């Protein structure tokens, strides 16, 4: 049914080739184990088509994309197309046990979706276990043919994927943490396009090299695919012009350092304004809370063509200082500069009348765990409104569509069950959370305001929260506890930045708004993978509207079974 409808739409559109060019893009992803050497040691990792990072998906706005994923590894697999709206095609969204049952070893599944009203940089990644560490890659959505960028066209473009690297097997790392009840070991290095660059314990390894030509402009599509760390990104001796985040255009501004959380993307224009030389490109951690991080800086090289000596090591290499890991002012300088383009062609459609106003606390807790000896009989957990999400064994979307009872309840709390001083350094007496598979139900096309409030239980921490199925507008943020009487007076309802992943400030709050115009079941979770593992996740169930165009499509015949 799904395929026939898509084919009919494509045929109808293609009857008018002078108006729009449509295309079906076919990709095949073979998930395989690949022996890979980094940090002067080798290990097998899960990859797509043997590549780390995986292959880039290229498409244009309006294209239909079909990706056949074949699972050749011992793990269950699912792939999420991070930031793709998936209008009425929740079956292709990817999070395991939310949108679909995972693809079991030896099985395959075709993800089928159309890119509607989106252009820019997104990415895809595994959405089960910790496979995202190495199973990820870029999605480049070009504007429709003949539609220019709303900024000067760059001479060249390059994808820059930031990630982490563990010497150990990542599944073993998280399994040990779950067993102990404590936090997992941090990564051993960061990577730029799969390479850490020279580090102290492995100085001989090379890093990624970006060749540029003097006088040309380059658009860098920067993606943070890391599991657990926000990253600063900067290029020695150069400023960057920020033009897009999360596949939405922004008012351009210049900056020498950007900050990018796991799950976020940022497009910058780089003008190669030097005559020659080599310049360090650096990715280093941002963490303004007392939390352990991998403090190894990944480096790459910006290399001007025609530089005397070519790869000669005597050629001058201009280095750069990285911000301190707790450089909150540098991070805020970037984040507070982001504004929607809000032009006639790309308006900011901020909901002004709100149907559902929710206050959601996000943070950590401690629950009993008799088998956790290292944790002295307890384990660290995470929650939203004190609910630690329990993963079902049947996909929520499947249970919703087929009316399967007993899989979830629709009583997720709209407000914290207990009101306390959320950001106080003195935590409440009870650090425990409740467990449940609870979703929040929304009528089709209702408007939602979410205030996401960090808590200081254990430690305040920045949480990059990702909402599947929707873009949203970040209308405000602040430190301390959200005040519903005074804080809304400072909301930006004119040109707030539009995103799919937003950082909740450590010891603070952020407010977002969106239209619930996409029927289905949509995951919302922290994109720090350890927090997702610990239960900082929930889902919205959006009912069908009126008629087939406002209703979830039926599942494809090859939908994986649990």
């Amino acid at each position: 049914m799904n395929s026939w409808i898509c084919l009919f739409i494509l045929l109808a559109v293609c009857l008018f080739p002078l108006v729009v060019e449509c295309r079906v893009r076919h990709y095949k992803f073979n998930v395989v184990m690949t022996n890979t050497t980094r940090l002067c040691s080798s290990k097998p990792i899960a990859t797509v088509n043997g590549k780390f990072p995986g292959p880039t998906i290229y498409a244009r706005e309006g294209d239909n994309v079909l990706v056949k994923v074949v699972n050749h590894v011992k793990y269950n697999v699912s792939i999420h197309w991070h930031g793709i709206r998936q209008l009425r095609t929740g079956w292709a969204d990817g999070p395991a046990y939310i949108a679909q049952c995972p693809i079991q070893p030896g099985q395959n599944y075709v993800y089928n979706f159309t890119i509607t009203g989106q252009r820019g940089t997104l990415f895809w990644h595994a959405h089960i276990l910790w496979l995202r560490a190495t199973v990820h890659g870029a999605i480049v959505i070009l504007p429709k043919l003949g539609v220019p960028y709303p900024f000067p066209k760059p001479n060249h473009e390059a994808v820059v994927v930031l990630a982490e690297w563990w010497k150990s097997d990542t599944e073993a790392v998280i399994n040990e943490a779950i067993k102990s009840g404590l936090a997992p070991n941090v990564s051993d290095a960061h990577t730029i396009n799969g390479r850490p660059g020279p580090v102290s314990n492995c100085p001989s390894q090379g890093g990624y090299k970006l060749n540029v030509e003097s006088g040309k402009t380059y658009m860098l599509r920067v993606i943070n695919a890391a599991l657990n760390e926000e990253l600063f990104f900067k290029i020695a001796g150069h400023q960057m012009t920020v033009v897009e985040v999360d596949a939405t255009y922004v008012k351009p501004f210049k900056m020498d350092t950007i900050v990018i959380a796991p799950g976020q993307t940022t497009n910058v224009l780089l003008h190669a304004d030097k005559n020659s030389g080599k310049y360090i490109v650096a990715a280093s951690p941002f963490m303004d809370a007392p939390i352990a991080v991998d403090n190894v800086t990944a480096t790459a090289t910006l290399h001007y063509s025609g530089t005397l000596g070519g790869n000669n090591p005597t050629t001058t290499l201009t280095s750069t200082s990285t911000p301190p890991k707790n450089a909150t002012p540098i991070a805020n300088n970037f984040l507070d500069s982001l504004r929607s383009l809000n032009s006639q062609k790309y308006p900011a459609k901020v909901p002004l009348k709100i149907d559902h106003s929710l206050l959601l606390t996000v943070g950590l807790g401690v629950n009993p765990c008799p088998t956790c000896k290292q944790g002295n009989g307890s384990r660290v957990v995470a929650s939203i409104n004190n609910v630690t999400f329990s993963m079902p064994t049947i996909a929520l979307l499947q249970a919703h569509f087929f009316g399967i009872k007993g899989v979830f309840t629709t009583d997720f709390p709209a407000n914290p069950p207990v009101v306390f001083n959320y950001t106080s350094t003195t935590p409440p007496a009870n650090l425990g959370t409740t467990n449940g598979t609870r979703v929040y139900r929304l009528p089709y096309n209702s408007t939602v305001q979410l205030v996401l409030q960090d808590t200081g239980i254990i430690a305040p921490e920045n949480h990059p929260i990702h909402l599947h199925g929707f873009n949203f507008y970040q209308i405000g943020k602040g430190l301390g506890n959200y005040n519903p009487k005074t804080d809304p007076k400072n909301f930006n309802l004119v040109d707030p930045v539009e995103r799919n992943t937003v950082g909740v400030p450590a010891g603070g709050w952020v407010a977002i708004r969106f239209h619930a115009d996409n029927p289905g079941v949509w995951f919302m979770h922290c994109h720090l993978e350890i927090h997702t593992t610990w239960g900082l996740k929930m889902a919205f169930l959006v009912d069908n509207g009126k008629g087939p165009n406002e209703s979830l499509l039926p599942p494809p015949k090859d939908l994986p079974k649990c």
Side-chain angles (χ1 to χ4, degrees), residues 182-248:
L182 303 177
N185 292 335
V186 299
S187 56
D188 296 295
H190 297 105
T191 59
I192 300 175
N193 281 348
R195 300 188 175 278
V199 294
S200 59
N201 58 357
C202 186
S204 62
Q205 68 183 356
Y208 170 69
K209 186 170 76 169
L210 176 63
N211 291 310
V212 298
E213 197 175 326
S214 183
K216 298 287 180 71
T217 299
Y218 297 77
M219 182 158 72
L220 307 184
R221 299 176 177 270
V222 188
I223 298 164
N224 187 346
L227 288 189
N228 292 316
E229 289 179 7
E230 298 191 63
L231 295 167
F232 288 116
F233 178 81
K234 65 184 300 188
I235 302 171
H238 293 74
Q239 284 212 322
M240 298 172 281
T241 301
V242 181
V243 294
E244 178 205 301
V245 295
D246 291 3
T248 62

Side-chain angles (χ1 to χ4, degrees), residues 255-272:
M255 195 73 60
D256 67 0
T257 305
I258 67 171
V259 69
I260 183 166
Q264 294 181 333
T265 64
T266 302
N267 282 7
V268 298
L269 297 180
L270 173 74
H271 185 58

Side-chain angles (χ1 to χ4, degrees), residues 7-321:
L7 181 60
F8 176 79
I9 293 170
L10 284 166
L11 287 172
V13 170
C14 288
L15 290 175
F16 304 96
L18 296 178
V19 178
V20 63
E21 176 170 310
C22 75
R23 182 169 173 183
V24 181
R25 308 265 181 168
H26 291 273
Y27 287 89
K28 186 174 182 181
F29 279 15
N30 286 303
V31 183
V32 295
M33 299 304 293
T34 304
N35 208 43
T36 307
T37 301
R38 297 289 186 274
L39 304 181
C40 295
S41 65
S42 300
K43 68 170 184 175
I45 61 171
T47 67
V48 166
N49 300 348
K51 297 179 179 180
F52 169 68
T56 298
I57 285 183
Y58 290 93
R60 287 194 183 275
E61 180 185 347
D63 284 352
N64 181 218
V65 179
L66 288 90
V67 187
K68 183 176 183 179
V69 177
V70 186
N71 184 3
H72 298 281
V73 301
K74 64 180 180 181
Y75 307 107
N76 286 344
V77 166
S78 73
I79 304 289
H80 171 49
W81 318 94
H82 184 111
I84 297 288
R85 287 287 314 277
Q86 299 292 358
L87 290 168
R88 302 170 53 232
T89 54
W91 308 105
D93 191 41
Y97 300 106
I98 306 296
Q100 65 169 94
C101 298
I103 307 166
Q104 298 177 26
Q107 301 297 309
N108 62 77
Y109 178 46
V110 176
Y111 290 90
N112 183 351
F113 54 90
T114 298
I115 299 170
T116 305
Q118 293 183 276
R119 78 295 301 165
T121 304
L122 297 171
F123 76 118
W124 57 264
H125 60 79
H127 213 303
I128 186 170
L129 308 173
W130 273 31
L131 295 182
R132 173 161 69 90
T134 55
V135 179
H136 60 248
I139 302 175
V140 173
I141 308 169
L142 301 171
K144 292 180 179 180
L145 277 176
V147 177
Y149 293 126
F151 46 81
K153 184 181 179 182
N155 299 103
H156 301 282
E157 300 182 7
V159 169
V160 180
V161 181
L162 312 179
E164 293 157 301
W165 182 266
W166 278 262
K167 285 187 176 181
S168 304
D169 174 64
T170 49
E171 294 309 308
V173 169
I174 184 55
N175 288 341
E176 177 58 32
I178 292 171
K179 182 180 176 182
S180 70
L182 303 177
N185 292 335
V186 299
S187 56
D188 296 295
H190 297 105
T191 59
I192 300 175
N193 281 348
R195 300 188 175 278
V199 294
S200 59
N201 58 357
C202 186
S204 62
Q205 68 183 356
Y208 170 69
K209 186 170 76 169
L210 176 63
N211 291 310
V212 298
E213 197 175 326
S214 183
K216 298 287 180 71
T217 299
Y218 297 77
M219 182 158 72
L220 307 184
R221 299 176 177 270
V222 188
I223 298 164
N224 187 346
L227 288 189
N228 292 316
E229 289 179 7
E230 298 191 63
L231 295 167
F232 288 116
F233 178 81
K234 65 184 300 188
I235 302 171
H238 293 74
Q239 284 212 322
M240 298 172 281
T241 301
V242 181
V243 294
E244 178 205 301
V245 295
D246 291 3
T248 62
Y249 297 131
V250 297
K251 290 183 172 73
F253 63 94
K254 289 188 176 182
M255 195 73 60
D256 67 0
T257 305
I258 67 171
V259 69
I260 183 166
Q264 294 181 333
T265 64
T266 302
N267 282 7
V268 298
L269 297 180
L270 173 74
H271 185 58
D273 56 2
K274 314 297 181 188
N275 291 324
S276 63
K278 297 191 293 186
Y279 298 82
I280 285 289
V281 180
S284 61
F286 167 53
M287 172 57 74
D288 57 355
I291 305 292
V293 295
D294 169 5
N295 217 14
V296 179
T297 297
T299 57
T301 308
L302 185 77
H303 191 125
Y304 279 78
S305 62
T307 295
L308 289 176
N311 292 321
N312 189 329
T314 61
T315 301
T316 303
L317 177 63
T318 303
S319 62
T320 184
S321 60

